[in-house]
Amino acid sequence: MNKINMDVNYKTMAGHARLVMLGESNHNTAGYKYEAIKAIKQLKAAGFTHFAIEMLPQSMKEQVAFYQRTGKGFEVIQRYFNDNWAWGYLVPYAYGELVKAARTAGLKIVALDMTLEQMASLDAACSSDNAEAGICKDTHTKRNDSWTNNIVSIIKESNQHRVVAFMHRWHAVEAASYQEGIDTLIQKQGIHNVVFVDFIGGMLCLTEKDCRKGSAEDTPLKQQYFYREGFPYKSAIKSFQVHIPEKRVNSNGELQW
Amino acid sequence: MVKISFFILLTLNLISNNVYANSLWHTIDINDPNLTVEQAAQQCAKSSMYAPYSLEEWCEKAYSMGSWRSLLYIGYYTGDGTRYVNEVKKHAQADDVEAIKILAWIYSNGSFVERDLNKSINLYTDYLSHKKNKSLTKHQLVTVQKALYNIYKELELWQDASKSLQYIINNENNNMEKKFFRDEKIYISERLSK
């Protein structure tokens, strides 16, 4: 295990990367979204230009562009999170705050994913056994392909473009033998300056009162905010883990630490 | 009193469905007698993203129904992949060709075991030459050759890397991937000429 560093600095972690993937170790911890807000503010200051997000489908591109341009129409975006990304207490609200923060920071918001209908149809077309045997690509892998193409097209559009992408960790890197991660897919398209930051720890709350501790660190570190280099599983790129303290998010969306 | 309790239960049920169910994560009754192993395995894999609090329950269920691969997610969740690795080894020894391939993958990336690239090469080679694998599709063969290529490259075994690479270039259908591996060929040729 690499040494921990209490000075969590995203600019340092990003270095000269063209793409920084911020990965949630689960979608249920509201604190990860607030950590992403901290990250994108620092990364914007470091020269990043785009914010790509798994939690919005490409089919909402126009609504997102309208919100970006005018500051109006956010309720459509928030409704989408409420309807489809309510994985815990304050989670959809926190996703909304993240999108707002990206706009305020001046990052161009990119809706990354397929629609839920497309995913359902792909789910039906390829079983996990067939995917594992290499007979077909499962939904997860096809989503990774699609996101990679989307991100690559932004990066190749201008040498000034730098992307922060927010997603689940198992999209950023390979989860199973048959699910190639964006870390390797993107290198095949000639993009090599890529960094992965994995969010761990925090508190997972299903309701205001039903919370579970989310840190696997030794006791002295559970309440600490720190980062360290490396990722415990396979990663083909420079990787970091940012640990957020095992504390809950307040009902107004603010963190307690 | 009964009516009030029923109303509370109904409301709680509606709230919980609203929070936990949609197209990304389906709320399925784990005790449904019609539950298939495929459904249980999918719930196990998806719970690592959308419902980690029920991951162990779903993955154990999937395992009990025959999906030994589901133990991978318990390994990720607990940080201890011993059961998963032991299960993969058991199936590999019993001549399950997919398990041989998975074991090769485990040794190539060092998840839950000490990384051992030579062991991985041997296992991938066993997989390719296995009598049960006479009917492997081109896509399946290319996938394994890509895994082997990466290992050969890392070990600087340029001759072997070149052979795998040629197979990939000849058989890859995806043009973007083909281009990537053609470019790699230049790199490998330079190494071979030194």
Side-chain angles (χ1 to χ4, degrees):
Chain A
M1 198 71 86
N2 290 329
K3 74 177 173 84
I4 63 166
N5 190 329
M6 299 293 185
D7 176 26
V8 180
N9 184 320
Y10 288 95
K11 187 179 174 185
T12 306
M13 284 186 256
H16 298 290
R18 299 289 307 277
L19 168 66
V20 170
M21 293 190 280
L22 302 176
E24 310 193 88
S25 52
N26 63 65
H27 290 309
N28 313 73
T29 302
Y32 295 157
K33 291 62 164 163
Y34 289 95
E35 186 56 27
I37 291 174
K38 278 188 201 168
I40 62 173
K41 285 177 182 169
Q42 292 180 25
L43 291 171
K44 168 66 186 174
F48 280 76
T49 54
H50 291 67
F51 174 67
I53 178 166
E54 167 188 358
M55 294 80 196
L56 288 172
Q58 291 174 34
S59 60
M60 284 181 70
K61 198 167 133 183
E62 284 175 18
Q63 287 102 316
V64 170
F66 178 74
Y67 167 65
Q68 180 106 52
R69 204 169 57 244
T70 65
K72 294 176 188 165
F74 177 73
E75 61 281 1
V76 180
I77 293 168
Q78 187 61 62
R79 198 179 314 128
Y80 183 80
F81 291 140
N82 294 347
D83 291 346
N84 300 292
W85 287 87
W87 304 116
Y89 180 61
L90 290 175
V91 165
Y93 175 77
Y95 281 129
E97 291 302 292
L98 177 55
V99 168
K100 280 191 209 165
R103 180 179 182 275
T104 307
L107 291 164
K108 182 166 183 193
I109 303 160
V110 179
L112 210 48
D113 211 354
M114 298 173 174
T115 63
L116 299 176
E117 292 74 23
Q118 285 170 315
M119 286 185 225
S121 129
L122 290 173
D123 271 349
C126 182
S127 70
S128 50
D129 275 354
N130 282 346
E132 185 131 27
I135 294 165
C136 53
K137 280 188 179 182
D138 68 350
T139 312
H140 183 94
T141 311
K142 287 194 171 168
R143 288 167 76 197
N144 289 357
D145 282 341
S146 159
W147 302 2
T148 303
N149 291 338
N150 201 345
I151 292 168
V152 167
S153 70
I154 295 165
I155 291 174
K156 288 192 173 169
E157 207 171 53
S158 159
N159 59 12
Q160 300 300 308
H161 286 175
R162 297 173 79 188
V163 180
V164 189
F166 187 64
M167 62 187 70
H168 192 279
R169 60 149 63 143
W170 294 133
H171 290 288
V173 296
E174 183 178 83
S177 59
Y178 57 95
Q179 294 177 326
E180 190 168 4
I182 295 173
D183 59 340
T184 50
L185 288 169
I186 201 153
Q187 294 193 55
K188 288 179 184 166
Q189 297 205 42
I191 312 293
H192 298 283
N193 291 339
V194 182
V195 165
F196 168 46
V197 181
D198 183 45
F199 291 158
I200 54 171
M203 185 80 86
L204 184 163
C205 296
L206 298 180
T207 65
E208 190 174 1
K209 297 204 171 132
D210 178 9
C211 294
R212 291 128 210 249
K213 293 173 177 176
S215 175
E217 300 296 324
D218 293 335
T219 307
L221 292 177
K222 284 184 189 297
Q223 296 303 325
Q224 299 295 319
Y225 178 48
F226 65 86
Y227 82 97
R228 66 174 154 239
E229 192 167 345
F231 180 66
Y233 306 107
K234 187 183 175 188
S235 164
I237 52 180
K238 190 161 191 176
S239 303
F240 300 89
Q241 288 194 301
V242 171
H243 178 271
I244 65 170
E246 257 183 355
K247 288 182 179 165
R248 49 178 299 155
V249 175
N250 284 333
S251 56
N252 65 356
E254 287 173 4
L255 296 172
Q256 280 187 341
W257 75 89
Chain B
M1 185 62 186
V2 173
K3 277 186 181 171
I4 291 170
S5 303
F6 177 74
F7 178 74
I8 291 170
L9 272 175
L10 186 68
T11 311
L12 282 175
N13 186 41
L14 282 173
I15 290 170
S16 105
N17 280 341
N18 191 35
V19 170
Y20 306 127
N22 72 17
S23 311
L24 295 166
W25 166 261
H26 300 278
T27 304
I28 298 174
D29 178 5
I30 200 165
N31 296 312
D32 183 343
N34 297 319
L35 185 75
T36 65
V37 62
E38 171 67 20
Q39 283 174 317
Q42 271 208 3
Q43 287 294 94
C44 160
K46 287 189 173 185
S47 63
S48 70
M49 295 187 172
Y50 305 107
Y53 41 85
S54 61
L55 182 145
E56 287 185 273
E57 196 184 10
W58 270 113
C59 296
E60 291 292 357
K61 179 73 179 183
Y63 175 64
S64 72
M65 293 174 80
S67 172
W68 53 266
R69 293 168 178 89
S70 294
L71 293 179
L72 169 66
Y73 296 94
I74 293 182
Y76 283 145
Y77 184 65
T78 61
D80 180 1
T82 313
R83 271 177 80 200
Y84 175 63
V85 173
N86 288 343
E87 196 73 19
V88 178
K89 282 181 180 169
K90 188 178 95 185
H91 284 270
Q93 278 160 8
D95 237 14
D96 178 334
V97 283
E98 285 308 309
I100 294 172
K101 191 173 72 172
I102 292 171
L103 197 55
W105 174 73
I106 289 171
Y107 279 112
S108 76
N109 64 37
S111 289
F112 312 122
V113 296
E114 198 167 325
R115 200 162 179 246
D116 188 335
L117 295 181
N118 287 312
K119 205 176 253 185
S120 181
I121 291 172
N122 290 338
L123 286 161
Y124 276 127
T125 309
D126 287 351
Y127 172 81
L128 289 174
S129 60
H130 200 285
K131 59 184 183 300
K132 286 187 190 169
N133 270 348
K134 293 230 163 68
S135 57
L136 284 177
T137 63
K138 262 188 191 175
H139 176 71
Q140 288 171 306
L141 293 168
V142 166
T143 304
V144 173
Q145 289 294 348
K146 284 177 186 170
L148 277 169
Y149 169 69
N150 285 329
I151 299 171
Y152 291 141
K153 190 177 163 188
E154 190 172 338
L155 293 175
E156 301 187 357
L157 298 170
W158 307 120
Q159 287 287 359
D160 292 319
S162 178
K163 265 192 228 165
S164 287
L165 200 51
Q166 198 54 55
Y167 185 90
I168 298 164
I169 292 166
N170 292 344
N171 294 285
E172 174 62 64
N173 290 327
N174 179 312
N175 286 336
M176 188 270 297
E177 294 248 346
K178 196 173 241 185
K179 181 184 178 307
F180 170 78
F181 286 106
R182 276 199 182 124
D183 293 345
E184 287 283 289
K185 184 82 182 165
I186 300 165
Y187 172 81
I188 297 298
S189 300
E190 283 170 6
R191 294 296 169 285
L192 275 171
S193 64
K194 280 181 185 171

